[in-house]
Amino acid sequence: MRTLAIYSNKGGVGKTAAAVNLSYLAARTGNSTLLCDLDPQSSATYYFRVKPGLKSGAKVLIKGGDRAYKNIKGTDYENLDLLPSDFSLRNLDVTFDKLKRSKKRLKKILRQFNDQYDIIILDCPVTISLLAENIFHAVDHILVPMIPTTLSVRTFKQLLCFCKKKGYDTGKINTFFSMVDLHKKMHKELMVAVSKDFNNVLRSFIPYLSQIEKMGIYREPVAAFSPQSTASKAYENLWAKIQKSILSAHGPHRTESPSSIR
Ligand SMILES: Nc1ncnc2c1ncn2[C@@H]1O[C@H](COP(=O)(O)OP(=O)(O)OP(=O)(O)O)[C@@H](O)[C@H]1O
Ligand SMILES: [Mg+2]
């Protein structure tokens, strides 16, 4: 089993859109897949037409046992299950803080799915506190969508600095460009600069496309309701790159954060 968090310490960058489409594509390419919606906004749960709510609330992600199993829902797609979100997840940080081994709780919960799934994808809320540290401990790979703007790059650098300071392996962090508008000179220039300065930038990006926003209308992955679209092809390319460069790669990569990007 491999675990992949779609994570950013910045909001509205395309985390949920990526988590939903990548989970769908992982399942469609034959992997038994579980998507965990860790965000109390429950957007990923909504996209998959599942009712939000966990029977034991946030305890599902804190106490373990069979609570998580009991809450897993099937989706409309073969090979793809969902652990829905619950509004009580908004307090996850506070609850973790009161517990022993507070940074390793999520890891323990996910470990119990070892035999059931080939891949677990986490749709993460914006966080860089205790929940983020649980995520960093729990997963094999962290994938960060980055809009090619100055502030997004700065936020990414903050993340790398935080991880280094705390002793987390920055080698498991990869980024891809999200919501790219190639008509914008700044987007193009930043993409070139960031790709030069950082090692772990995937050479596949998601353009800014209205078809992706329509996921909210169809409540389906774009790759399901519009399989021939540019948007769908972009997520397929991204999934292919993730498989090749992350999931089947051996040995750690290093992500450098040179002083040129501040
Ligand atoms: N590539 C894209 N092109 C156009 N719109 C997009 C794209 N990706 C996401 N969106 C839209 O932008 C908004 C934010 O996207 P999304 O919810 O995926 O971001 P997020 O990082 O998960 O946000 P949050 O931090 O609130 O969880 C949504 O309305 C979504 O439909
Ligand atoms: Mg989201």
Side-chain angles (χ1 to χ4, degrees):
M1 184 188 77
R2 309 300 288 274
T3 44
L4 174 69
I6 313 297
Y7 167 89
S8 174
N9 44 331
K10 194 161 182 57
V13 295
K15 296 182 291 296
T16 300
V20 164
N21 282 290
L22 294 174
S23 302
Y24 169 81
L25 290 168
R28 202 178 75 181
T29 47
N31 300 286
S32 171
T33 306
L34 175 68
L35 171 63
C36 298
D37 187 353
L38 300 184
D39 190 341
Q41 290 182 93
S42 67
S43 312
T45 304
Y46 177 84
Y47 281 140
F48 280 114
R49 300 165 182 259
V50 172
K51 205 170 153 213
L54 295 167
K55 277 183 204 118
S56 323
K59 274 190 194 148
V60 166
L61 294 169
I62 292 162
K63 300 263 185 202
D66 58 1
R67 289 182 187 85
Y69 277 114
K70 283 184 177 164
N71 280 284
I72 286 176
K73 299 277 192 305
T75 66
D76 294 339
Y77 310 103
E78 204 180 334
N79 284 336
L80 179 57
D81 288 346
L82 174 79
L83 182 64
S85 165
D86 187 282
F87 197 54
S88 66
L89 299 185
R90 75 191 186 283
N91 296 322
L92 215 44
D93 268 324
V94 182
T95 321
F96 278 140
D97 198 33
K98 291 180 190 148
L99 302 167
K100 283 188 193 152
R101 294 176 57 77
S102 62
K103 292 178 185 168
K104 303 214 170 142
R105 292 277 161 166
L106 187 61
K107 187 182 175 101
K108 199 174 155 205
I109 307 285
L110 297 185
R111 211 186 287 141
Q112 64 187 318
F113 297 121
N114 247 330
D115 300 333
Q116 270 71 41
Y117 295 101
D118 299 320
I119 179 156
I120 296 185
I121 295 182
L122 309 182
D123 182 28
C124 304
V126 177
T127 168
I128 189 141
S129 52
L130 200 47
L131 174 58
E133 294 198 62
N134 265 276
I135 293 163
F136 301 156
H137 269 294
V139 300
D140 302 313
H141 309 285
I142 298 162
L143 190 58
V144 183
M146 188 201 294
I147 304 174
T149 61
T150 320
L151 289 184
S152 287
V153 177
R154 189 171 167 272
T155 307
F156 183 61
K157 191 160 181 274
Q158 280 172 347
L159 170 67
L160 294 179
C161 288
F162 175 80
C163 287
K164 272 185 189 156
K165 203 168 133 198
K166 291 275 185 176
Y168 294 113
D169 176 14
T170 53
K172 66 181 180 185
I173 302 175
N174 286 267
T175 184
F176 68 93
F177 294 112
S178 175
M179 299 183 173
V180 173
D181 182 351
L182 287 177
H183 296 107
K184 292 183 179 164
K185 195 169 164 230
M186 188 182 75
H187 277 210
K188 283 199 281 193
E189 285 175 356
L190 270 176
M191 284 168 74
V192 172
V194 171
S195 302
K196 258 192 214 153
D197 282 342
F198 294 84
N199 286 338
N200 286 12
V201 183
L202 293 184
R203 310 240 165 235
S204 182
F205 67 87
I206 304 297
Y208 191 94
L209 293 164
S210 60
Q211 202 70 0
I212 295 172
E213 285 181 300
K214 288 187 188 152
M215 282 169 59
I217 299 169
Y218 293 103
R219 294 182 71 182
E220 282 193 280
V222 67
F225 71 78
S226 189
Q228 299 308 324
S229 64
T230 308
S232 178
K233 298 288 168 214
Y235 282 114
E236 280 171 12
N237 286 340
L238 180 62
W239 174 238
K241 277 279 185 301
I242 291 167
Q243 282 182 293
K244 192 164 168 242
S245 312
I246 302 181
L247 299 177
S248 54
H250 298 289
H253 298 277
R254 286 200 56 75
T255 302
E256 299 302 335
S257 53
S259 53
S260 57
I261 297 183
R262 281 222 168 93

